[in-house]
Amino acid sequence: MHNISGNSKLSQPLGLGPEVAYNDVILSFDTWESAQMILGDQQKPAGYRMEIAFQFDSKEALDESYSRLTVQGYEGHFEPNDTPWGERYAIIKDPDGNLISLVA
């Protein structure tokens, strides 16, 4: 990572798009191709789209939150799974159809 201004830092993890960290918030900018490494062979979305991700302290906390959200009626888009690089990953859809990623 290198400092770009104040508490902001920019990095490019695992050869994916860049990440900008500011205090405790990290924004990742990835292409559809890099997202396919996680999502697999899914239909490419059309039009405007976004995904926001929330980092959890543990895989158990992610699983618990995913379960609680789906019980409350939110649509589970991608069930919790472990990635090849060791993260746990899941996706929920919000009422507008935006993808909300859960990462641990």
Side-chain angles (χ1 to χ4, degrees):
M1 290 185 143
H2 63 278
N3 199 345
I4 57 176
S5 72
N7 292 329
S8 297
K9 295 185 180 192
L10 177 68
S11 69
Q12 193 159 353
L14 302 172
L16 303 175
E19 288 186 346
V20 177
Y22 184 77
N23 294 330
D24 291 333
V25 176
I26 298 173
L27 297 175
S28 296
F29 300 91
D30 294 318
T31 64
W32 172 250
E33 290 75 20
S34 64
Q36 283 182 301
M37 290 175 27
I38 296 169
L39 301 173
D41 190 29
Q42 293 193 17
Q43 182 178 355
K44 184 175 183 176
Y48 295 105
R49 59 197 181 270
M50 63 160 273
E51 179 183 350
I52 188 167
F54 292 93
Q55 182 76 42
F56 290 83
D57 291 332
S58 69
K59 293 178 179 185
E60 295 79 17
L62 182 151
D63 291 347
E64 180 182 313
S65 294
Y66 181 89
S67 178
R68 187 175 63 251
L69 289 165
T70 55
V71 165
Q72 291 176 0
Y74 290 91
E75 180 183 345
H77 182 70
F78 188 76
E79 291 188 10
N81 280 286
D82 293 322
T83 65
W85 52 90
E87 285 185 324
R88 186 120 174 113
Y89 198 83
I91 301 175
I92 297 284
K93 279 191 178 180
D94 76 4
D96 293 325
N98 294 307
L99 301 180
I100 310 299
S101 292
L102 312 176
V103 183

